[in-house]
Amino acid sequence: MKEQKNLRENKMGTTPIGKLLFQMALPMILSMLVQALYNVVDSIYVSQISESAITALSLAFPIQNLQIGCATGIAVGVTALLSKSLGCHDYERANKAAMNGIFLTGICVVAFMLFGAFAARPFYAMQSNVAETVEGGAAYIRICTLVSIGIFGEILFERLLQSSGRTSYTLITQGTGAVLNILLDPVFIFGKFGIPAMGIAGAAVATVLGQCVAFALALFFNAKKNHDVKISFRGFRPQMEIIRPVMAVAVPSVVMMSVGSVMNFGFNQILQSFSETATSVFGVYFKLQSFVFMPVFGLNNAMIPMVAFNFGARQPKRIVRSVLYCMITATCIMILGFLAFRFAPDLLLSMFNPTEQFLELGVVALRTISISFPIVGMCIVLSAAFQALGNGVYSTLVSIARQLVVLLPVAYLLSKTGDVSSVWWSFPISELISTAASVCFALRLFRQKVRGLYEVERLSWKELL
């Protein structure tokens, strides 16, 4: 009786899946679109300095991606364990998951601060011999890593809100941080209100200030509004029985993002063999594609606690529906992105003060890479479902196969044609292979973990839904 009451009290166990996904995902999608906007605004402002400044931002992406990957990985691990614990009504274990997540996050913050202090300039010097790119980029990434506490704290505490279904507050935290960044960019980059012009370093200052404000708001909302998770450091000690399941989900996620950083670093080196303009185009592509991918990641962030909660509550139909609805929505978003990149690439690129060569390369890049968009949404959603069900290894294998085993070698081979336009085809090729692998893994995981919850051996798809 008490169990049924607790289940009714948490909307993730009772609200219709379509309505629940909309309620949870909409705030995340809106906030992530705002984040995508300020990423693009950063590049638009920086493009007014020089093309080398754009290149510097592009070369910084692997480190920033790794930052986000580590922060998100730990947060996803905590979210999966916390949501499952709430689904099983084990509130003490949910609180321990949050506390140990904060501990792991602190370790990562210190690691990135050390990188910023000692390795920022060597990182750029090994990628470029253009002095403006190296000096500007080193200053940018040094600031972003020395103040890592903002992005790590923001992501973790926003996920704590999401794991208990309070996603509307993340719209406030992310939106406030993003808007603040947009407003501060011109102040610090070009110098206004008595503040000296800082160039590309000013973009980093605006970014970390926005992240720190978002972190402070997320911390406040957890303290005042999140009654399912109680944070207290009194008597706290790291607990391996909590850290182990968190890391089982977090490590594959971090590895996936690390693989993305390695891919980006390697791809930049391939493009540098053609020109810095090609590298700049690649960086701008990543800024623009965030408008398409960020909403899908927002769906994922909403789906993970839904799937984890209902897995803990042994509600298999809600698991299947959550994944299916998320896949359909993600595919629709990716199709819209494909249409924009296919039919209006010159309009999108015109925001970045492009040279004729930049525009020519960029149009071909956007049109070619976006060919894979209609199938990518399904692959992204399935990877998140693997993590929610506690099998992040599948996500890792798919990510490694897509970005290292397939993408980079294919890009390298295509670069030997001497035509940079050929290199962009490595993206559709790798996405096709990774999507096929994701479907195979999803069917296997369904048979292993979800079907058994139905308490019958065989059900039709109609009965499953």
Side-chain angles (χ1 to χ4, degrees):
M1 191 71 177
K2 183 179 179 181
E3 182 175 336
Q4 291 178 347
K5 180 181 178 181
N6 287 333
L7 192 60
R8 286 197 300 270
E9 290 174 350
N10 195 307
K11 64 181 182 180
M12 286 190 286
T14 57
T15 305
I17 292 299
K19 181 180 179 180
L20 179 62
L21 183 62
F22 178 80
Q23 290 177 344
M24 294 189 64
L26 184 60
M28 297 186 197
I29 290 174
L30 292 176
S31 62
M32 287 193 166
L33 283 173
V34 173
Q35 282 194 312
L37 176 62
Y38 85 71
N39 285 333
V40 170
V41 170
D42 271 355
S43 295
I44 291 175
Y45 281 126
V46 167
S47 69
Q48 297 176 37
I49 301 174
S50 67
E51 191 171 290
S52 290
I54 285 285
T55 303
L57 281 184
S58 300
L59 297 178
F61 183 80
I63 299 302
Q64 290 182 295
N65 189 55
L66 187 58
Q67 272 187 302
I68 295 172
C70 290
T72 304
I74 293 173
V76 167
V78 171
T79 296
L81 179 59
L82 195 151
S83 295
K84 184 177 179 181
S85 298
L86 291 177
C88 296
H89 319 302
D90 189 345
Y91 299 103
E92 181 180 357
R93 187 173 176 82
N95 293 333
K96 289 180 179 179
M99 294 305 303
N100 282 272
I102 295 172
F103 169 74
L104 293 172
T105 294
I107 294 175
C108 289
V109 168
V110 172
F112 276 99
M113 290 177 69
L114 292 173
F115 174 88
F118 300 106
R121 196 179 188 286
F123 172 76
Y124 268 88
M126 67 188 296
Q127 297 186 80
S128 176
N129 55 11
V130 177
E132 183 182 356
T133 301
V134 173
E135 297 303 326
Y140 178 86
I141 205 64
R142 186 178 295 115
I143 293 170
C144 289
T145 50
L146 287 176
V147 198
S148 291
I149 189 171
I151 186 65
F152 274 89
E154 175 189 353
I155 289 176
L156 176 62
F157 282 91
E158 285 174 349
R159 293 306 186 277
L160 293 182
L161 290 168
Q162 293 165 5
S163 64
S164 58
R166 296 171 174 86
T167 57
S168 59
Y169 294 111
T170 63
L171 175 60
I172 299 174
T173 58
Q174 293 181 357
T176 301
V179 170
L180 184 61
N181 185 20
I182 293 171
L183 294 176
L184 292 179
D185 262 334
V187 174
F188 289 103
I189 293 174
F190 304 114
K192 296 180 182 297
F193 309 114
I195 295 176
M198 300 175 65
I200 188 174
V205 172
T207 295
V208 298
L209 285 175
Q211 291 168 348
C212 287
V213 169
F215 169 34
L217 286 172
L219 188 60
F220 170 79
F221 285 132
N222 270 281
K224 297 297 182 180
K225 303 296 182 180
N226 193 354
H227 306 300
D228 290 325
V229 181
K230 299 187 182 303
I231 298 171
S232 174
F233 288 97
R234 181 176 297 175
F236 168 75
R237 288 187 301 174
Q239 297 172 284
M240 286 308 300
E241 63 269 24
I242 299 296
I243 292 176
R244 195 175 293 111
V246 168
M247 296 303 292
V249 176
V251 169
S253 182
V254 173
V255 169
M256 283 192 295
M257 296 298 281
S258 301
V259 166
S261 294
V262 173
M263 179 280 293
N264 197 276
F265 180 86
F267 212 89
N268 280 334
Q269 302 314 298
I270 293 172
L271 294 176
Q272 285 278 66
S273 67
F274 290 97
S275 66
E276 281 218 338
T277 300
T279 306
S280 298
V281 166
F282 185 51
V284 166
Y285 156 73
F286 263 95
K287 301 289 185 179
L288 291 173
Q289 61 94 34
S290 64
F291 278 106
V292 184
F293 282 78
M294 282 294 192
V296 177
F297 293 147
L299 284 170
N300 277 3
N301 290 337
M303 184 194 73
I304 287 175
M306 289 168 58
V307 171
F309 180 95
N310 287 290
F311 184 60
R314 299 184 64 83
Q315 296 198 75
K317 288 187 178 182
R318 293 181 65 82
I319 296 173
V320 174
R321 288 173 179 169
S322 296
V323 175
L324 182 61
Y325 286 20
C326 197
M327 284 174 53
I328 293 172
T329 307
T331 300
C332 292
I333 292 172
M334 297 303 296
I335 289 174
L336 292 175
F338 163 74
L339 294 174
F341 277 49
R342 183 68 184 175
F343 297 106
D346 48 350
L347 180 62
L348 297 173
L349 294 169
S350 65
M351 297 184 292
F352 300 93
N353 194 29
T355 61
E356 184 177 343
Q357 182 187 16
F358 185 101
L359 191 60
E360 182 180 351
L361 288 176
V363 167
V364 175
L366 265 58
R367 284 178 172 165
T368 304
I369 297 175
S370 63
I371 290 174
S372 61
F373 281 11
I375 63 171
V376 171
M378 179 171 62
C379 183
I380 294 173
V381 171
L382 289 178
S383 289
F386 300 157
Q387 294 174 314
L389 292 172
N391 199 325
V393 174
Y394 286 169
S395 300
T396 305
L397 292 175
V398 171
S399 183
I400 292 175
R402 176 169 62 93
Q403 300 187 75
L404 296 186
V405 178
V406 180
L407 181 63
L408 279 184
V410 171
Y412 176 76
L413 291 175
L414 291 175
S415 72
K416 294 304 179 182
T417 64
D419 181 10
V420 68
S421 298
S422 301
V423 178
W424 310 122
W425 281 99
S426 57
F427 280 92
I429 293 171
S430 64
E431 298 295 359
L432 182 63
I433 293 173
S434 64
T435 299
S438 295
V439 171
C440 293
F441 284 142
L443 293 174
R444 185 171 187 227
L445 189 60
F446 173 80
R447 289 194 297 268
Q448 291 176 338
K449 290 199 170 185
V450 180
R451 184 180 287 276
L453 301 179
Y454 282 94
E455 299 179 350
V456 293
E457 292 187 0
R458 287 189 175 276
L459 287 172
S460 68
W461 279 106
K462 184 177 180 180
E463 291 173 309
L464 292 176
L465 298 175

